mmCIF file of all heavy atoms in Angstrom:
data_model
loop_
_atom_site.group_PDB
_atom_site.id
_atom_site.type_symbol
_atom_site.label_atom_id
_atom_site.label_comp_id
_atom_site.label_asym_id
_atom_site.label_seq_id
_atom_site.Cartn_x
_atom_site.Cartn_y
_atom_site.Cartn_z
ATOM 1 N N LEU A 1410 4.954 -10.328 10.586
ATOM 2 C CA LEU A 1410 5.566 -9.014 10.378
ATOM 3 C C LEU A 1410 7.063 -9.139 10.125
ATOM 4 O O LEU A 1410 7.604 -8.479 9.239
ATOM 5 C CB LEU A 1410 5.321 -8.107 11.585
ATOM 6 C CG LEU A 1410 3.954 -7.456 11.658
ATOM 7 C CD1 LEU A 1410 3.799 -6.704 12.975
ATOM 8 C CD2 LEU A 1410 3.712 -6.534 10.486
ATOM 9 N N VAL A 1411 7.725 -9.974 10.895
ATOM 10 C CA VAL A 1411 9.175 -10.161 10.714
ATOM 11 C C VAL A 1411 9.448 -10.686 9.313
ATOM 12 O O VAL A 1411 10.351 -10.209 8.618
ATOM 13 C CB VAL A 1411 9.750 -11.088 11.803
ATOM 14 C CG1 VAL A 1411 11.180 -11.485 11.476
ATOM 15 C CG2 VAL A 1411 9.697 -10.400 13.158
ATOM 16 N N ALA A 1412 8.667 -11.666 8.858
ATOM 17 C CA ALA A 1412 8.850 -12.204 7.505
ATOM 18 C C ALA A 1412 8.572 -11.130 6.454
ATOM 19 O O ALA A 1412 9.299 -11.010 5.463
ATOM 20 C CB ALA A 1412 7.933 -13.407 7.295
ATOM 21 N N PHE A 1413 7.541 -10.329 6.680
ATOM 22 C CA PHE A 1413 7.211 -9.247 5.753
ATOM 23 C C PHE A 1413 8.350 -8.234 5.678
ATOM 24 O O PHE A 1413 8.758 -7.828 4.596
ATOM 25 C CB PHE A 1413 5.910 -8.583 6.190
ATOM 26 C CG PHE A 1413 5.471 -7.445 5.315
ATOM 27 C CD1 PHE A 1413 5.147 -7.644 3.979
ATOM 28 C CD2 PHE A 1413 5.362 -6.160 5.834
ATOM 29 C CE1 PHE A 1413 4.728 -6.598 3.174
ATOM 30 C CE2 PHE A 1413 4.938 -5.107 5.044
ATOM 31 C CZ PHE A 1413 4.625 -5.319 3.711
ATOM 32 N N PHE A 1414 8.887 -7.840 6.835
ATOM 33 C CA PHE A 1414 10.002 -6.891 6.851
ATOM 34 C C PHE A 1414 11.204 -7.470 6.104
ATOM 35 O O PHE A 1414 11.938 -6.753 5.445
ATOM 36 C CB PHE A 1414 10.408 -6.527 8.277
ATOM 37 C CG PHE A 1414 9.347 -5.811 9.067
ATOM 38 C CD1 PHE A 1414 9.333 -5.888 10.441
ATOM 39 C CD2 PHE A 1414 8.347 -5.079 8.449
ATOM 40 C CE1 PHE A 1414 8.356 -5.235 11.185
ATOM 41 C CE2 PHE A 1414 7.373 -4.425 9.182
ATOM 42 C CZ PHE A 1414 7.371 -4.502 10.552
ATOM 43 N N GLY A 1415 11.399 -8.775 6.224
ATOM 44 C CA GLY A 1415 12.518 -9.425 5.538
ATOM 45 C C GLY A 1415 12.390 -9.375 4.027
ATOM 46 O O GLY A 1415 13.383 -9.458 3.311
ATOM 47 N N MET A 1416 11.181 -9.238 3.527
ATOM 48 C CA MET A 1416 10.949 -9.160 2.076
ATOM 49 C C MET A 1416 11.122 -7.750 1.530
ATOM 50 O O MET A 1416 11.193 -7.554 0.326
ATOM 51 C CB MET A 1416 9.522 -9.615 1.754
ATOM 52 C CG MET A 1416 9.243 -11.046 2.044
ATOM 53 S SD MET A 1416 7.490 -11.344 1.697
ATOM 54 C CE MET A 1416 7.288 -12.901 2.518
ATOM 55 N N MET A 1417 11.191 -6.777 2.427
ATOM 56 C CA MET A 1417 11.237 -5.379 1.999
ATOM 57 C C MET A 1417 12.617 -4.980 1.499
ATOM 58 O O MET A 1417 13.634 -5.438 2.013
ATOM 59 C CB MET A 1417 10.860 -4.456 3.162
ATOM 60 C CG MET A 1417 9.452 -4.581 3.634
ATOM 61 S SD MET A 1417 9.211 -3.533 5.092
ATOM 62 C CE MET A 1417 7.746 -2.689 4.607
ATOM 63 N N SER A 1418 12.600 -4.081 0.530
ATOM 64 C CA SER A 1418 13.847 -3.477 0.062
ATOM 65 C C SER A 1418 14.290 -2.440 1.094
ATOM 66 O O SER A 1418 13.486 -2.011 1.933
ATOM 67 C CB SER A 1418 13.618 -2.794 -1.290
ATOM 68 O OG SER A 1418 12.792 -1.648 -1.118
ATOM 69 N N PRO A 1419 15.540 -2.001 1.035
ATOM 70 C CA PRO A 1419 15.977 -0.942 1.955
ATOM 71 C C PRO A 1419 15.111 0.322 1.831
ATOM 72 O O PRO A 1419 14.812 0.968 2.829
ATOM 73 C CB PRO A 1419 17.417 -0.666 1.523
ATOM 74 C CG PRO A 1419 17.879 -1.963 0.923
ATOM 75 C CD PRO A 1419 16.663 -2.531 0.244
ATOM 76 N N GLU A 1420 14.683 0.647 0.622
ATOM 77 C CA GLU A 1420 13.838 1.819 0.414
ATOM 78 C C GLU A 1420 12.479 1.631 1.086
ATOM 79 O O GLU A 1420 11.934 2.561 1.690
ATOM 80 C CB GLU A 1420 13.641 2.095 -1.082
ATOM 81 C CG GLU A 1420 14.915 2.492 -1.806
ATOM 82 C CD GLU A 1420 15.818 1.314 -2.166
ATOM 83 O OE1 GLU A 1420 15.359 0.138 -2.161
ATOM 84 O OE2 GLU A 1420 16.995 1.567 -2.445
ATOM 85 N N GLN A 1421 11.927 0.416 1.001
ATOM 86 C CA GLN A 1421 10.645 0.150 1.640
ATOM 87 C C GLN A 1421 10.770 0.203 3.160
ATOM 88 O O GLN A 1421 9.878 0.716 3.837
ATOM 89 C CB GLN A 1421 10.105 -1.215 1.199
ATOM 90 C CG GLN A 1421 9.653 -1.243 -0.246
ATOM 91 C CD GLN A 1421 9.360 -2.648 -0.726
ATOM 92 O OE1 GLN A 1421 10.068 -3.605 -0.375
ATOM 93 N NE2 GLN A 1421 8.321 -2.786 -1.534
ATOM 94 N N ARG A 1422 11.883 -0.321 3.695
ATOM 95 C CA ARG A 1422 12.075 -0.253 5.145
ATOM 96 C C ARG A 1422 12.216 1.198 5.610
ATOM 97 O O ARG A 1422 11.709 1.574 6.658
ATOM 98 C CB ARG A 1422 13.276 -1.093 5.566
ATOM 99 C CG ARG A 1422 12.976 -2.590 5.555
ATOM 100 C CD ARG A 1422 14.043 -3.410 6.263
ATOM 101 N NE ARG A 1422 15.342 -3.347 5.623
ATOM 102 C CZ ARG A 1422 15.728 -4.146 4.631
ATOM 103 N NH1 ARG A 1422 14.920 -5.066 4.179
ATOM 104 N NH2 ARG A 1422 16.923 -4.033 4.119
#
Side-chain angles (χ1 to χ4, degrees):
L1410 280 174
V1411 170
F1413 180 63
F1414 296 154
M1416 295 176 195
M1417 294 175 131
S1418 69
E1420 294 80 17
Q1421 290 170 321
R1422 284 193 296 273

